[in-house]
Amino acid sequence: MAKRLDGRLLAARHEASLRSAIAQHLATAGCTTCPPGLAVVRVGDDPASGVYVRKKAQACGRVGIESRIIHHPATASQQQVLESIHQLNGSPSCNGILVQLPIPSTLNARQLLLAVDPAKDVDGLHPLNLGRLMRGEPGLRSCTPAGVMALLDHAGIALDGIRALVIGRSILVGRPMGIMLQQANATVTVAHSRTRDLVDHCRQAELLVVAAGKPGLVGADWVRPGAVVVDVGIHRVPPQQQGTQGTLRGDVCFAAVEPLASHITPVPGGVGPMTVAMLLCNTVQAWQRCTAPPA
Ligand code: GUN
């Protein structure tokens, strides 16, 4: 039976150390320093985004980060959203900016992400930060893959030389995940919707990171016994009966895969809380950089 990689527990530890890092930094920097600030720019009413944004704001409150949500209607123009990003770039009380995805298809998401000051890009999605990741230089890292790396590290999973398969090649998860694993000396394959013989690739993988966006894609017969299985998917299953709450599930058939994997992330409670924890870490890092006394 697989060991569960508990994202809630590890995220809570990160939150505890961030809370004390913030208090300590405020105490040493003196009363002229503001607490860290995170701004989330949301456009439209995607219901899943509403849940994620609320969770991020609640987590900020727990550690002492001041958060604000700038919510534009789906009919907002590119110029209006760009203007709020420019304002946040210039605001000293805002240390981190996140543009919640997806953005309505009427807008140019690429241009919005490019408008974020790279020093405040706590999502690690600005080309400069992605370039730094590519080169292995310090910089703000994408939260979900960074959260996966933290979970693997905490569980003591040795990545050196292992055969890793990432399913999904999004800029948010799959691509940065592949680079991070490669930098940890894994031998990485990034599979996607056009990959031939996906099941064969899966069966060979010692580490499987599934970010395909397809509920229940990976079943027991796809997984090599003893593999580490990380499920990035999160899907709401509609309630079967009126009045019952919908449940969440991932891209992996958890019940079928748990008996044969060596480690597995649950959904919910695996990667999701770690994404939020890494966002908090990035915000505090950006705040410490801009409030540090000159050397
Ligand atoms: N939408 C779903 N997850 C994320 C995330 O981690 N960052 C952003 N910006 N949008 C998301």
Side-chain angles (χ1 to χ4, degrees):
M1 190 61 92
K3 271 195 192 151
R4 290 192 189 192
L5 300 173
D6 188 336
R8 280 198 190 116
L9 195 69
L10 187 57
R13 286 195 195 178
H14 278 279
E15 285 189 11
S17 65
L18 288 173
R19 238 186 333 268
S20 54
I22 291 171
Q24 198 178 352
H25 190 80
L26 281 174
T28 48
C31 55
T32 51
T33 301
C34 301
L38 171 70
V40 177
V41 178
R42 182 181 171 208
V43 188
D45 293 303
D46 175 67
S49 289
V51 175
Y52 295 144
V53 167
R54 244 190 332 275
K55 285 198 167 164
K56 288 167 186 174
Q58 286 164 351
C60 282
R62 289 195 295 271
V63 301
I65 295 173
E66 287 186 354
S67 69
R68 55 184 137 154
I69 299 166
I70 292 91
H71 191 176
H72 289 278
T75 51
S77 69
Q78 183 81 7
Q79 200 50 40
Q80 284 169 323
V81 184
L82 275 174
E83 263 165 33
S84 38
I85 294 173
H86 291 148
Q87 269 179 16
L88 294 166
N89 283 342
S91 161
S93 64
C94 168
N95 309 106
I97 303 169
L98 178 148
V99 179
Q100 183 68 28
L101 301 173
I103 288 288
S105 57
T106 48
L107 299 182
N108 180 344
R110 220 184 109 259
Q111 190 191 37
L112 297 178
L113 296 175
L114 191 63
V116 174
D117 176 351
K120 297 188 178 188
D121 170 38
V122 286
D123 231 4
L125 294 181
H126 188 283
L128 184 68
N129 286 318
L130 288 168
R132 286 172 174 151
L133 165 66
M134 192 83 178
R135 294 171 63 103
E137 292 170 2
L140 292 164
R141 296 289 195 250
S142 320
C143 301
T144 300
V148 172
M149 295 304 286
L151 267 175
L152 297 172
D153 180 62
H154 180 73
I157 293 163
L159 297 174
D160 208 280
I162 75 164
R163 222 174 293 143
L165 177 70
V166 180
I167 308 181
R169 57 176 162 180
S170 72
I171 206 71
L172 200 57
V173 184
R175 289 185 199 192
M177 186 78 254
I179 296 168
M180 287 182 201
L181 288 169
Q182 197 186 64
Q183 284 170 356
N185 297 322
T187 302
V188 183
T189 303
V190 178
H192 46 80
S193 53
R194 302 285 183 91
T195 297
R196 270 183 276 121
D197 307 320
L198 178 59
V199 184
D200 294 338
H201 284 287
C202 276
R203 286 196 193 123
Q204 287 180 26
E206 296 161 283
L207 166 64
L208 202 49
V209 180
V210 192
K214 293 194 174 156
L217 173 73
V218 173
D221 51 340
W222 286 39
V223 176
R224 174 189 168 116
V228 176
V229 179
V230 176
D231 190 350
V232 180
I234 185 148
H235 311 275
R236 192 163 288 281
V237 181
Q240 298 301 310
Q241 299 160 349
Q242 283 284 319
T244 60
Q245 283 219 323
T247 51
L248 295 174
R249 68 177 302 199
D251 287 355
V252 175
C253 298
F254 185 86
V257 172
E258 188 184 27
L260 67 141
S262 67
H263 298 77
I264 190 167
T265 57
V267 176
V271 174
M274 289 306 296
T275 297
V276 178
M278 293 300 110
L279 174 67
L280 304 179
C281 289
N282 280 349
T283 305
V284 172
Q285 187 187 319
W287 172 70
Q288 285 174 329
R289 287 239 168 92
C290 80
T291 57

